[in-house]
Amino acid sequence: MYRLNELIKLDRKIYHTNDLALLWDITNKNTLYTAIKRYVQKGVLLPVYKGLYTTVPLSQLDPLELGKAIIHRYTYLSTESVLAQAGVIAQTVYPYTFVSDQPKKVTVGTMSFLFRQLKQVYLYNPTGIINHNGVFIASPERAAADMLYFNSKYHFDAPGSLDLQKIKSIQKEIGYPCQS
């Protein structure tokens, strides 16, 4: 009952195995996995992805928080997701596109996530990155700079909606290789 109360008290929906170990003060892996297994069987915890659990149905999770939790390291939403939301590209973007220090493709339920690998020297530069309720999101200009880093010939459907000088300034400040 103590462990259940600890979960209910927190204003949180997504947990990694290590989070549960800390929350419940369990150091023995066998004890931890047994506790998790029991809570999954009772329906208190729902498995999401390897080592990742939720206390609510997948449909109630914020996809951006879920993407952040899946990679379990520094990441920010960028490239197609941000550009589509800003109206810079017209095509429908199905995966949520993040930038991280590891490449990964994951599908959880009906949601798909694509993590593009960016060198750490560029990744950790905060230029054009906004903290939105604990999830980092690139500005449209930073997302465009990131996209051009990954594909220098990328076509933007509505480039007029971007500040091209700001993109160049971001590229320079981050230290991205010169674009032609």
Side-chain angles (χ1 to χ4, degrees):
M1 195 63 166
Y2 160 78
R3 292 179 182 148
L4 181 59
N5 288 337
E6 291 300 309
L7 284 176
I8 292 169
K9 278 196 280 187
L10 293 177
D11 185 30
R12 197 173 159 179
K13 299 173 185 156
I14 303 171
Y15 298 90
H16 284 273
T17 305
N18 288 341
D19 299 331
L20 295 170
L22 288 171
L23 179 66
W24 295 335
D25 195 25
I26 298 174
T27 54
N28 183 297
K29 294 281 185 197
N30 289 332
T31 304
L32 176 63
Y33 293 132
T34 300
I36 290 171
K37 181 180 173 184
R38 288 182 182 152
Y39 281 106
V40 167
Q41 288 171 342
K42 290 179 183 179
V44 173
L45 288 176
L46 305 169
V48 175
Y49 184 72
K50 185 181 179 187
L52 190 63
Y53 302 89
T54 181
T55 55
V56 298
L58 282 177
S59 61
Q60 293 179 19
L61 292 177
D62 177 347
L64 302 184
E65 286 183 33
L66 181 57
K68 177 182 146 185
I70 287 171
I71 198 76
H72 202 49
R73 53 195 333 109
Y74 179 74
T75 188
Y76 62 89
L77 188 73
S78 189
T79 60
E80 293 95 342
S81 290
V82 172
L83 295 171
Q85 187 176 26
V88 177
I89 58 175
Q91 63 267 32
T92 303
V93 178
Y94 293 105
Y96 292 91
T97 54
F98 288 85
V99 174
S100 182
D101 64 351
Q102 286 186 349
K104 194 176 212 175
K105 287 182 184 179
V106 176
T107 299
V108 175
T110 60
M111 297 176 273
S112 295
F113 302 90
L114 172 65
F115 299 89
R116 287 197 171 93
Q117 185 174 12
L118 187 61
K119 290 181 180 179
Q120 289 186 13
V121 65
Y122 306 136
L123 177 68
Y124 293 110
N125 187 312
T127 304
I129 305 296
I130 302 146
N131 183 343
H132 182 72
N133 297 325
V135 176
F136 295 106
I137 301 174
S139 67
E141 285 77 14
R142 171 68 187 252
D146 290 343
M147 194 74 241
L148 291 170
Y149 171 80
F150 292 115
N151 179 357
S152 63
K153 298 185 186 314
Y154 190 82
H155 172 75
F156 299 105
D157 298 324
S161 60
L162 291 168
D163 182 337
L164 298 179
Q165 284 306 112
K166 195 170 186 179
I167 293 170
K168 288 181 182 183
S169 173
I170 288 171
Q171 288 172 320
K172 185 177 179 182
E173 191 169 331
I174 293 171
Y176 282 155
C178 295
Q179 304 293 320
S180 53

